[in-house]
């Protein structure tokens, strides 16, 4: 199944072979030890970084909780009346569902899935590129897509990909997709990469965004045993990438202590009941600092320590716990934070 599809979820494997996910997980671990596949969060993929791109059905079932949290946090970066570009992918599709609530927004995209998510948003204008349809990820690619982006200028580009490293930046396994993503980057003043921790440290064939062109990374907190992902985050922060870490804990937002900046508005989500913000009004969750493995904790005076690296310290990592208002509407916005050094 992995050879046929490029990736497969543990849930789907358990259903097909009619056994428990615990048994499947044990067998996948044994197959990884033999070099036949690589484990990923909630599934398995072909071994090695330079593999062909998985199709949408396989990607949709991998790291779903992480993608939801990342989309919640990224949506808070978008202001009313902005013009943005949103690339193809399952994480960007989740983002588009949340952008449907932002009034006066203009979204340029080459993704049919992103356009579909925004189709019934009466206050959002959707602009589609031209191009040839790639059925595996429902994206428009080719010279038609690239030419339609010439002369375009927007505030931000939201992109995902197959892998992200500090050395090469964002990459993908398909040449046509990479070419369109590069055109999307050229149209934006800032580039925001959406990548869950399973993509950190993964290097695939075609570079789409070099690390120096990435303005901000929105990701989730790597598990303690994912040392490679944590190391990539530190390296990216040392290169000046602003890193936002979304919480996937699912607990009440009010249970997280506020950081030194106090309660800052965050995007809508599904992680617990309504949280009252000290300064942002009802539904605005506090933010917290998430130390990565090897990173020092909070300063005694309450100011967070930067990621330790070259120079005088790396860019500060921040996490926001999503929360919803009583009506399920956006509960506020995440402040646009510049790197802070101590």
């Amino acid at each position: 199944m992995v050879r046929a599809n490029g990736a497969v979820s543990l849930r789907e494997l358990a259903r097909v072979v009619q056994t428990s996910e615990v048994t499947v997980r044990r067998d996948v671990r044994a197959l990884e030890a033999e070099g036949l596949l690589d484990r990923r969060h909630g599934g398995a993929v072909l071994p090695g970084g330079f593999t062909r791109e998985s199709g949408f059905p396989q990607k949709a079932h991998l790291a779903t909780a992480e993608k939801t949290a990342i989309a919640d946090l990224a949506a808070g970066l978008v202001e009313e009346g902005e013009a943005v570009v949103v690339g193809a992918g399952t994480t960007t599709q989740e983002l588009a569902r949340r952008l449907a609530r932002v009034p006066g927004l203009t979204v340029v995209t080459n993704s049919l899935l992103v356009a579909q998510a925004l189709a019934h948003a009466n206050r959002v204008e959707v602009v589609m590129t031209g191009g040839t349809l790639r059925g595996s990820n429902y994206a428009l690619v080719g010279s038609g897509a690239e030419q339609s982006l010439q002369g375009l200028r927007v505030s931000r580009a939201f992109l995902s990909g197959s892998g992200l490293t500090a050395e090469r930046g964002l990459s993908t396994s398909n040449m046509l997709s990479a070419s369109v993503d590069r055109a999307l980057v050229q149209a934006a003043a800032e580039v925001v990469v959406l990548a869950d921790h399973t993509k950190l440290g993964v290097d695939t064939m075609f570079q789409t965004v070099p690390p120096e062109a990435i303005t901000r990374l929105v990701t989730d907190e790597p598990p303690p045993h994912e040392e490679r992902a944590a190391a990539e985050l530190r390296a990216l922060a040392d290169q000046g990438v602003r890193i936002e870490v979304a919480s996937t804990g699912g607990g009440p937002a009010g249970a997280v202590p506020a950081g030194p900046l106090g309660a800052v508005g965050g995007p809508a989500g599904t992680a617990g009941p309504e949280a009252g913000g000290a300064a942002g009004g009802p539904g605005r969750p506090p933010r917290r600092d998430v130390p990565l493995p090897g990173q020092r904790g909070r300063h005694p005076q309450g100011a967070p320590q930067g990621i330790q690296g070259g120079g005088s310290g790396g860019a500060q990592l921040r996490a926001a716990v999503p929360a919803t208002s009583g009506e399920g509407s956006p509960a506020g916005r995440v402040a646009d934070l510049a790197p802070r050094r101590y």
Side-chain angles (χ1 to χ4, degrees):
M1 288 180 65
V2 173
R3 285 172 179 165
N5 300 314
V8 68
S9 69
L10 294 180
R11 181 180 303 173
E12 178 67 9
L13 283 173
R15 185 189 66 80
V16 171
V17 302
Q18 297 182 350
T19 187
S20 68
E21 289 190 31
V22 174
T23 300
V24 170
R25 186 176 292 107
R26 181 190 62 206
D27 293 343
V28 166
R29 189 178 296 114
L31 290 170
E32 183 184 45
E34 297 177 17
L36 298 176
L37 49 77
D38 286 345
R39 286 186 298 155
R40 290 291 184 267
H41 186 81
V45 299
L46 287 172
F50 299 95
T51 57
R52 68 182 181 87
E53 186 179 24
S54 305
F56 171 79
Q58 292 76 38
K59 290 182 176 181
H61 297 292
L62 297 176
T64 54
E66 289 83 353
K67 292 174 183 177
T68 298
I70 290 169
D72 286 336
L73 183 53
L77 302 174
V78 181
E79 301 290 340
E80 295 183 9
E82 263 194 277
V84 300
V85 295
V86 180
T90 53
T91 310
T92 52
Q93 181 190 23
E94 289 294 325
L95 170 64
R97 290 171 177 152
R98 288 144 183 83
L99 294 183
R101 299 187 292 253
V102 182
L105 186 66
T106 300
V107 176
V108 181
T109 184
N110 68 318
S111 169
L112 298 187
L113 298 175
V114 168
Q116 183 184 39
L118 296 167
H120 299 292
N122 55 14
R123 295 181 294 177
V124 177
E125 181 179 1
V126 180
V127 179
M128 295 287 299
T129 69
T132 303
L133 178 64
R134 283 195 71 227
S136 61
N137 64 346
Y138 302 96
L140 297 171
V141 297
S143 60
E146 296 171 39
Q147 290 173 9
S148 66
L149 293 167
Q150 292 180 0
L152 181 71
R153 193 62 173 171
V154 298
S155 58
R156 291 184 180 90
F158 292 90
L159 298 176
S160 186
S162 302
L164 177 65
T165 66
E167 181 180 1
R168 291 186 71 224
L170 190 67
S171 61
T172 186
S173 303
N174 182 267
M175 180 175 62
L176 293 175
S177 296
S179 186
V180 175
D181 282 352
R182 286 193 286 267
L184 292 173
V185 169
Q186 292 298 317
E190 296 183 359
V191 178
V192 181
V193 171
L194 312 181
D196 63 78
H197 73 269
T198 65
K199 297 177 181 179
L200 297 175
V202 177
D203 193 8
T204 53
M205 189 172 294
F206 299 99
Q207 182 193 59
T208 56
V209 189
E212 61 271 15
I214 300 175
T215 308
R216 188 189 305 264
L217 166 64
V218 184
T219 185
D220 62 291
E221 184 177 1
H225 62 277
E226 292 282 352
E227 297 181 0
R228 181 177 65 173
E232 290 293 341
L233 283 183
R234 288 193 291 268
L236 286 165
D238 286 340
Q239 294 187 27
V241 177
R242 305 175 188 177
I243 299 178
E244 299 281 349
V245 182
S247 173
T248 57
V256 181
L261 298 181
V264 181
T270 56
E274 178 178 343
R284 296 198 174 206
R287 299 170 65 90
R288 62 187 179 92
D289 299 318
V290 179
L292 296 173
Q295 178 188 356
R296 287 188 291 173
R298 189 180 298 277
H299 189 276
Q301 280 74 32
Q305 291 293 99
I307 302 174
Q308 298 308 304
S312 59
Q316 179 181 340
L317 292 189
R318 293 195 174 276
V321 180
T324 56
S325 65
E327 294 76 25
S329 60
R333 301 193 181 281
V334 177
D336 190 8
L337 299 177
R340 178 170 298 190
R341 305 214 176 244
Y342 296 90

